Amino acid sequence: MLNIAVLISGSGSNLQRLIDECKNNNINGNIKLVISNKENVYGLQRAKEENIKNLYINDEEDIKNELKKENIDLIVLAGFLKILSKDFIKEYKNKIINIHPSLIPSFCGKGYYGMKVHEAVIKKGVKISGATVHFVNEIADEGPIIMQKTVEVDINDSKESVAKKVLEVEHEILPYVVKQFCEGNIIINEDERVDIIG
Ligand code: GRF
């Protein structure tokens, strides 16, 4: 059973989905650690309620020490807003996954996070948006894409209604990818494209 760490910066609704799916044994993984780089966020409370080790840490070295202490096999960034260093990412190559609230490569990279993503989606007038789960590499939101799911955007949508639709698909695809990762079903081929064989 893999040891999982979830890094957050906010409410932790994605974290909660992972907790629930591990508790019902749909994910063959053990969330050993929740770290937030922001103090007093609800996501830490969610971990506390499940008796999962939960820490407010902002220093990357301290984060690394905790990951080593818990023998972490998979790091999930679920609304984690701190940029990790190249060294950190190299040390955990293809063991860090991130959920982004758009269809990468659209509306991603510097400045595209949270509601700013959905604001840009509405402004641009795209007809579909969605969420992406990807491996984290040295360039923000550029790592190999693992899974995406779309939502429709229509003329009556607002950034808030798009955010709500996208969060729903995030809550579907992130637990699915973590489940597949824990079962060894995620393959990255030689040209850095990902296949889920489960
Ligand atoms: C989600 O929209 C996710 O796509 C983005 O940050 C938000 C996290 O929400 N990276 P939550 O903290 O999991 O509720």
PDB file of all heavy atoms in Angstrom, residues 15 35 40-41 43-44 47 49 51 57 81 97 104 116 127 131-132 135 139 148 155 161 168 179-180 187 189:
ATOM      1  N   LEU A  15      -8.926  17.010  -1.274  1.00  0.00           N
ATOM      2  CA  LEU A  15      -8.337  16.172  -0.207  1.00  0.00           C
ATOM      3  C   LEU A  15      -9.430  15.286   0.403  1.00  0.00           C
ATOM      4  O   LEU A  15      -9.230  14.086   0.587  1.00  0.00           O
ATOM      5  CB  LEU A  15      -7.723  17.057   0.881  1.00  0.00           C
ATOM      6  CG  LEU A  15      -7.433  16.381   2.221  1.00  0.00           C
ATOM      7  CD1 LEU A  15      -6.316  15.350   2.081  1.00  0.00           C
ATOM      8  CD2 LEU A  15      -7.068  17.420   3.286  1.00  0.00           C
ATOM      9  N   ILE A  35      -0.079  18.499   4.329  1.00  0.00           N
ATOM     10  CA  ILE A  35       0.709  19.714   4.605  1.00  0.00           C
ATOM     11  C   ILE A  35       0.068  20.889   3.878  1.00  0.00           C
ATOM     12  O   ILE A  35      -0.275  20.777   2.698  1.00  0.00           O
ATOM     13  CB  ILE A  35       2.164  19.558   4.127  1.00  0.00           C
ATOM     14  CG1 ILE A  35       2.890  18.485   4.954  1.00  0.00           C
ATOM     15  CG2 ILE A  35       2.920  20.896   4.208  1.00  0.00           C
ATOM     16  CD1 ILE A  35       4.314  18.201   4.479  1.00  0.00           C
ATOM     17  N   ASN A  40      -4.187  27.614   9.247  1.00  0.00           N
ATOM     18  CA  ASN A  40      -5.625  27.634   9.584  1.00  0.00           C
ATOM     19  C   ASN A  40      -6.561  27.469   8.396  1.00  0.00           C
ATOM     20  O   ASN A  40      -7.637  28.072   8.370  1.00  0.00           O
ATOM     21  CB  ASN A  40      -5.976  28.971  10.296  1.00  0.00           C
ATOM     22  CG  ASN A  40      -5.111  29.171  11.525  1.00  0.00           C
ATOM     23  OD1 ASN A  40      -4.830  28.197  12.228  1.00  0.00           O
ATOM     24  ND2 ASN A  40      -4.636  30.388  11.737  1.00  0.00           N
ATOM     25  N   VAL A  41      -6.175  26.712   7.386  1.00  0.00           N
ATOM     26  CA  VAL A  41      -7.111  26.462   6.269  1.00  0.00           C
ATOM     27  C   VAL A  41      -7.989  25.257   6.621  1.00  0.00           C
ATOM     28  O   VAL A  41      -7.577  24.371   7.393  1.00  0.00           O
ATOM     29  CB  VAL A  41      -6.364  26.221   4.941  1.00  0.00           C
ATOM     30  CG1 VAL A  41      -5.674  27.492   4.474  1.00  0.00           C
ATOM     31  CG2 VAL A  41      -5.394  25.061   5.046  1.00  0.00           C
ATOM     32  N   GLY A  43      -8.772  22.714   5.030  1.00  0.00           N
ATOM     33  CA  GLY A  43      -8.193  21.414   4.649  1.00  0.00           C
ATOM     34  C   GLY A  43      -7.443  20.763   5.801  1.00  0.00           C
ATOM     35  O   GLY A  43      -7.481  19.533   5.970  1.00  0.00           O
ATOM     36  N   LEU A  44      -6.765  21.565   6.645  1.00  0.00           N
ATOM     37  CA  LEU A  44      -6.066  20.986   7.805  1.00  0.00           C
ATOM     38  C   LEU A  44      -7.063  20.429   8.817  1.00  0.00           C
ATOM     39  O   LEU A  44      -6.847  19.370   9.412  1.00  0.00           O
ATOM     40  CB  LEU A  44      -5.157  22.039   8.468  1.00  0.00           C
ATOM     41  CG  LEU A  44      -3.919  22.448   7.684  1.00  0.00           C
ATOM     42  CD1 LEU A  44      -3.181  23.592   8.382  1.00  0.00           C
ATOM     43  CD2 LEU A  44      -2.968  21.263   7.477  1.00  0.00           C
ATOM     44  N   ALA A  47      -8.234  17.014   7.776  1.00  0.00           N
ATOM     45  CA  ALA A  47      -7.264  15.962   8.116  1.00  0.00           C
ATOM     46  C   ALA A  47      -7.337  15.652   9.608  1.00  0.00           C
ATOM     47  O   ALA A  47      -7.346  14.479  10.010  1.00  0.00           O
ATOM     48  CB  ALA A  47      -5.860  16.419   7.725  1.00  0.00           C
ATOM     49  N   GLU A  49      -9.783  15.890  11.613  1.00  0.00           N
ATOM     50  CA  GLU A  49     -10.992  15.107  11.928  1.00  0.00           C
ATOM     51  C   GLU A  49     -10.837  13.632  11.566  1.00  0.00           C
ATOM     52  O   GLU A  49     -11.522  12.770  12.082  1.00  0.00           O
ATOM     53  CB  GLU A  49     -12.216  15.707  11.220  1.00  0.00           C
ATOM     54  CG  GLU A  49     -12.725  16.966  11.919  1.00  0.00           C
ATOM     55  CD  GLU A  49     -13.661  17.805  11.049  1.00  0.00           C
ATOM     56  OE1 GLU A  49     -14.158  17.266  10.024  1.00  0.00           O
ATOM     57  OE2 GLU A  49     -13.859  18.983  11.379  1.00  0.00           O
ATOM     58  N   ASN A  51      -7.918  12.127  11.923  1.00  0.00           N
ATOM     59  CA  ASN A  51      -6.682  11.698  12.614  1.00  0.00           C
ATOM     60  C   ASN A  51      -5.509  11.459  11.664  1.00  0.00           C
ATOM     61  O   ASN A  51      -4.719  10.530  11.851  1.00  0.00           O
ATOM     62  CB  ASN A  51      -6.932  10.416  13.436  1.00  0.00           C
ATOM     63  CG  ASN A  51      -7.974  10.656  14.500  1.00  0.00           C
ATOM     64  OD1 ASN A  51      -7.918  11.677  15.190  1.00  0.00           O
ATOM     65  ND2 ASN A  51      -8.969   9.778  14.585  1.00  0.00           N
ATOM     66  N   ILE A  57       3.302  24.067   7.100  1.00  0.00           N
ATOM     67  CA  ILE A  57       4.731  24.247   6.848  1.00  0.00           C
ATOM     68  C   ILE A  57       4.876  25.078   5.574  1.00  0.00           C
ATOM     69  O   ILE A  57       4.215  24.793   4.576  1.00  0.00           O
ATOM     70  CB  ILE A  57       5.457  22.904   6.589  1.00  0.00           C
ATOM     71  CG1 ILE A  57       5.204  21.868   7.691  1.00  0.00           C
ATOM     72  CG2 ILE A  57       6.955  23.133   6.414  1.00  0.00           C
ATOM     73  CD1 ILE A  57       5.904  20.538   7.441  1.00  0.00           C
ATOM     74  N   LEU A  81      -0.568  26.081  -3.631  1.00  0.00           N
ATOM     75  CA  LEU A  81      -0.238  27.266  -4.448  1.00  0.00           C
ATOM     76  C   LEU A  81       1.212  27.684  -4.353  1.00  0.00           C
ATOM     77  O   LEU A  81       1.581  28.773  -4.754  1.00  0.00           O
ATOM     78  CB  LEU A  81      -1.174  28.423  -4.046  1.00  0.00           C
ATOM     79  CG  LEU A  81      -2.653  28.161  -4.351  1.00  0.00           C
ATOM     80  CD1 LEU A  81      -3.515  29.311  -3.865  1.00  0.00           C
ATOM     81  CD2 LEU A  81      -2.869  27.909  -5.837  1.00  0.00           C
ATOM     82  N   ILE A  97       1.736  14.532  -8.432  1.00  0.00           N
ATOM     83  CA  ILE A  97       0.670  14.832  -9.399  1.00  0.00           C
ATOM     84  C   ILE A  97      -0.095  16.067  -8.925  1.00  0.00           C
ATOM     85  O   ILE A  97      -0.157  16.346  -7.723  1.00  0.00           O
ATOM     86  CB  ILE A  97      -0.300  13.648  -9.612  1.00  0.00           C
ATOM     87  CG1 ILE A  97      -1.047  13.274  -8.341  1.00  0.00           C
ATOM     88  CG2 ILE A  97       0.434  12.443 -10.169  1.00  0.00           C
ATOM     89  CD1 ILE A  97      -2.116  12.195  -8.592  1.00  0.00           C
ATOM     90  N   ILE A 104      -5.430  21.805 -19.687  1.00  0.00           N
ATOM     91  CA  ILE A 104      -4.061  22.190 -20.068  1.00  0.00           C
ATOM     92  C   ILE A 104      -3.846  21.734 -21.520  1.00  0.00           C
ATOM     93  O   ILE A 104      -4.314  20.638 -21.892  1.00  0.00           O
ATOM     94  CB  ILE A 104      -3.064  21.506 -19.098  1.00  0.00           C
ATOM     95  CG1 ILE A 104      -3.183  22.155 -17.703  1.00  0.00           C
ATOM     96  CG2 ILE A 104      -1.639  21.570 -19.618  1.00  0.00           C
ATOM     97  CD1 ILE A 104      -2.347  21.497 -16.628  1.00  0.00           C
ATOM     98  N   LYS A 116      -9.187  32.772 -11.048  1.00  0.00           N
ATOM     99  CA  LYS A 116      -8.590  33.493 -12.204  1.00  0.00           C
ATOM    100  C   LYS A 116      -8.683  32.653 -13.476  1.00  0.00           C
ATOM    101  O   LYS A 116      -8.818  33.169 -14.579  1.00  0.00           O
ATOM    102  CB  LYS A 116      -7.111  33.817 -11.918  1.00  0.00           C
ATOM    103  CG  LYS A 116      -6.883  34.876 -10.829  1.00  0.00           C
ATOM    104  CD  LYS A 116      -5.394  35.067 -10.587  1.00  0.00           C
ATOM    105  CE  LYS A 116      -5.117  35.981  -9.421  1.00  0.00           C
ATOM    106  NZ  LYS A 116      -5.507  37.385  -9.661  1.00  0.00           N
ATOM    107  N   LYS A 127     -16.130  27.242 -25.310  1.00  0.00           N
ATOM    108  CA  LYS A 127     -17.394  26.490 -25.141  1.00  0.00           C
ATOM    109  C   LYS A 127     -17.226  25.236 -24.300  1.00  0.00           C
ATOM    110  O   LYS A 127     -18.207  24.606 -23.911  1.00  0.00           O
ATOM    111  CB  LYS A 127     -17.958  26.109 -26.520  1.00  0.00           C
ATOM    112  CG  LYS A 127     -18.192  27.314 -27.424  1.00  0.00           C
ATOM    113  CD  LYS A 127     -19.000  28.402 -26.742  1.00  0.00           C
ATOM    114  CE  LYS A 127     -19.096  29.676 -27.587  1.00  0.00           C
ATOM    115  NZ  LYS A 127     -19.674  30.794 -26.787  1.00  0.00           N
ATOM    116  N   ALA A 131     -10.998  19.928 -16.281  1.00  0.00           N
ATOM    117  CA  ALA A 131      -9.906  19.776 -15.314  1.00  0.00           C
ATOM    118  C   ALA A 131      -8.869  18.813 -15.870  1.00  0.00           C
ATOM    119  O   ALA A 131      -9.173  17.961 -16.719  1.00  0.00           O
ATOM    120  CB  ALA A 131     -10.457  19.245 -13.991  1.00  0.00           C
ATOM    121  N   THR A 132      -7.653  18.982 -15.392  1.00  0.00           N
ATOM    122  CA  THR A 132      -6.518  18.160 -15.827  1.00  0.00           C
ATOM    123  C   THR A 132      -5.758  17.633 -14.612  1.00  0.00           C
ATOM    124  O   THR A 132      -5.469  18.411 -13.689  1.00  0.00           O
ATOM    125  CB  THR A 132      -5.534  19.015 -16.669  1.00  0.00           C
ATOM    126  OG1 THR A 132      -6.225  19.571 -17.800  1.00  0.00           O
ATOM    127  CG2 THR A 132      -4.345  18.173 -17.146  1.00  0.00           C
ATOM    128  N   PHE A 135       1.384  14.975 -14.161  1.00  0.00           N
ATOM    129  CA  PHE A 135       2.604  14.891 -13.371  1.00  0.00           C
ATOM    130  C   PHE A 135       3.226  16.279 -13.304  1.00  0.00           C
ATOM    131  O   PHE A 135       3.081  17.071 -14.255  1.00  0.00           O
ATOM    132  CB  PHE A 135       3.599  13.903 -14.016  1.00  0.00           C
ATOM    133  CG  PHE A 135       3.253  12.458 -13.768  1.00  0.00           C
ATOM    134  CD1 PHE A 135       2.841  11.655 -14.830  1.00  0.00           C
ATOM    135  CD2 PHE A 135       3.316  11.907 -12.496  1.00  0.00           C
ATOM    136  CE1 PHE A 135       2.509  10.318 -14.617  1.00  0.00           C
ATOM    137  CE2 PHE A 135       2.997  10.570 -12.275  1.00  0.00           C
ATOM    138  CZ  PHE A 135       2.576   9.784 -13.341  1.00  0.00           C
ATOM    139  N   ILE A 139       8.428  22.853 -15.022  1.00  0.00           N
ATOM    140  CA  ILE A 139       7.711  24.041 -15.521  1.00  0.00           C
ATOM    141  C   ILE A 139       6.241  23.972 -15.072  1.00  0.00           C
ATOM    142  O   ILE A 139       5.570  22.952 -15.291  1.00  0.00           O
ATOM    143  CB  ILE A 139       7.782  24.107 -17.068  1.00  0.00           C
ATOM    144  CG1 ILE A 139       9.247  24.005 -17.537  1.00  0.00           C
ATOM    145  CG2 ILE A 139       7.151  25.390 -17.595  1.00  0.00           C
ATOM    146  CD1 ILE A 139       9.377  23.603 -19.007  1.00  0.00           C
ATOM    147  N   GLN A 148      -7.908  14.033 -18.346  1.00  0.00           N
ATOM    148  CA  GLN A 148      -8.663  15.283 -18.429  1.00  0.00           C
ATOM    149  C   GLN A 148     -10.138  14.933 -18.533  1.00  0.00           C
ATOM    150  O   GLN A 148     -10.508  13.859 -19.005  1.00  0.00           O
ATOM    151  CB  GLN A 148      -8.243  16.100 -19.657  1.00  0.00           C
ATOM    152  CG  GLN A 148      -6.786  16.546 -19.603  1.00  0.00           C
ATOM    153  CD  GLN A 148      -6.394  17.429 -20.763  1.00  0.00           C
ATOM    154  OE1 GLN A 148      -6.451  17.004 -21.918  1.00  0.00           O
ATOM    155  NE2 GLN A 148      -5.989  18.665 -20.473  1.00  0.00           N
ATOM    156  N   ILE A 155     -23.656  30.296 -22.543  1.00  0.00           N
ATOM    157  CA  ILE A 155     -23.730  31.766 -22.467  1.00  0.00           C
ATOM    158  C   ILE A 155     -24.202  32.259 -21.097  1.00  0.00           C
ATOM    159  O   ILE A 155     -23.873  33.360 -20.665  1.00  0.00           O
ATOM    160  CB  ILE A 155     -24.639  32.314 -23.612  1.00  0.00           C
ATOM    161  CG1 ILE A 155     -24.360  33.800 -23.843  1.00  0.00           C
ATOM    162  CG2 ILE A 155     -26.102  32.036 -23.338  1.00  0.00           C
ATOM    163  CD1 ILE A 155     -22.975  34.060 -24.428  1.00  0.00           C
ATOM    164  N   SER A 161     -20.133  29.641 -11.773  1.00  0.00           N
ATOM    165  CA  SER A 161     -20.834  28.402 -12.194  1.00  0.00           C
ATOM    166  C   SER A 161     -19.869  27.476 -12.931  1.00  0.00           C
ATOM    167  O   SER A 161     -19.945  26.248 -12.799  1.00  0.00           O
ATOM    168  CB  SER A 161     -22.045  28.740 -13.080  1.00  0.00           C
ATOM    169  OG  SER A 161     -21.635  29.378 -14.272  1.00  0.00           O
ATOM    170  N   GLU A 168     -16.535  19.712  -9.730  1.00  0.00           N
ATOM    171  CA  GLU A 168     -17.193  18.391  -9.718  1.00  0.00           C
ATOM    172  C   GLU A 168     -16.374  17.362 -10.507  1.00  0.00           C
ATOM    173  O   GLU A 168     -16.184  16.237 -10.064  1.00  0.00           O
ATOM    174  CB  GLU A 168     -18.619  18.499 -10.285  1.00  0.00           C
ATOM    175  CG  GLU A 168     -19.619  19.042  -9.270  1.00  0.00           C
ATOM    176  CD  GLU A 168     -20.946  19.450  -9.910  1.00  0.00           C
ATOM    177  OE1 GLU A 168     -21.263  18.945 -11.018  1.00  0.00           O
ATOM    178  OE2 GLU A 168     -21.647  20.296  -9.313  1.00  0.00           O
ATOM    179  N   LYS A 179      -6.035   6.346  -7.555  1.00  0.00           N
ATOM    180  CA  LYS A 179      -6.335   4.893  -7.466  1.00  0.00           C
ATOM    181  C   LYS A 179      -5.468   4.136  -8.455  1.00  0.00           C
ATOM    182  O   LYS A 179      -4.824   3.135  -8.131  1.00  0.00           O
ATOM    183  CB  LYS A 179      -7.816   4.668  -7.760  1.00  0.00           C
ATOM    184  CG  LYS A 179      -8.242   3.235  -7.939  1.00  0.00           C
ATOM    185  CD  LYS A 179      -9.722   3.158  -8.345  1.00  0.00           C
ATOM    186  CE  LYS A 179     -10.130   1.755  -8.780  1.00  0.00           C
ATOM    187  NZ  LYS A 179      -9.989   0.751  -7.701  1.00  0.00           N
ATOM    188  N   GLN A 180      -5.450   4.627  -9.712  1.00  0.00           N
ATOM    189  CA  GLN A 180      -4.681   3.943 -10.755  1.00  0.00           C
ATOM    190  C   GLN A 180      -3.182   3.986 -10.449  1.00  0.00           C
ATOM    191  O   GLN A 180      -2.469   3.006 -10.682  1.00  0.00           O
ATOM    192  CB  GLN A 180      -4.982   4.570 -12.126  1.00  0.00           C
ATOM    193  CG  GLN A 180      -6.418   4.387 -12.585  1.00  0.00           C
ATOM    194  CD  GLN A 180      -6.823   2.923 -12.706  1.00  0.00           C
ATOM    195  OE1 GLN A 180      -6.002   2.055 -12.990  1.00  0.00           O
ATOM    196  NE2 GLN A 180      -8.086   2.636 -12.443  1.00  0.00           N
ATOM    197  N   ILE A 187       1.345   4.496 -16.927  1.00  0.00           N
ATOM    198  CA  ILE A 187       2.592   4.280 -17.677  1.00  0.00           C
ATOM    199  C   ILE A 187       2.951   5.567 -18.415  1.00  0.00           C
ATOM    200  O   ILE A 187       2.073   6.178 -19.047  1.00  0.00           O
ATOM    201  CB  ILE A 187       2.377   3.165 -18.739  1.00  0.00           C
ATOM    202  CG1 ILE A 187       1.735   1.907 -18.104  1.00  0.00           C
ATOM    203  CG2 ILE A 187       3.671   2.828 -19.470  1.00  0.00           C
ATOM    204  CD1 ILE A 187       2.603   1.212 -17.093  1.00  0.00           C
ATOM    205  N   ASN A 189       5.242   6.807 -21.468  1.00  0.00           N
ATOM    206  CA  ASN A 189       6.075   6.195 -22.527  1.00  0.00           C
ATOM    207  C   ASN A 189       7.256   7.102 -22.859  1.00  0.00           C
ATOM    208  O   ASN A 189       7.415   8.187 -22.295  1.00  0.00           O
ATOM    209  CB  ASN A 189       5.226   5.839 -23.740  1.00  0.00           C
ATOM    210  CG  ASN A 189       4.639   7.071 -24.405  1.00  0.00           C
ATOM    211  OD1 ASN A 189       5.141   8.171 -24.207  1.00  0.00           O
ATOM    212  ND2 ASN A 189       3.587   6.876 -25.162  1.00  0.00           N
TER     213      ASN A 189
END
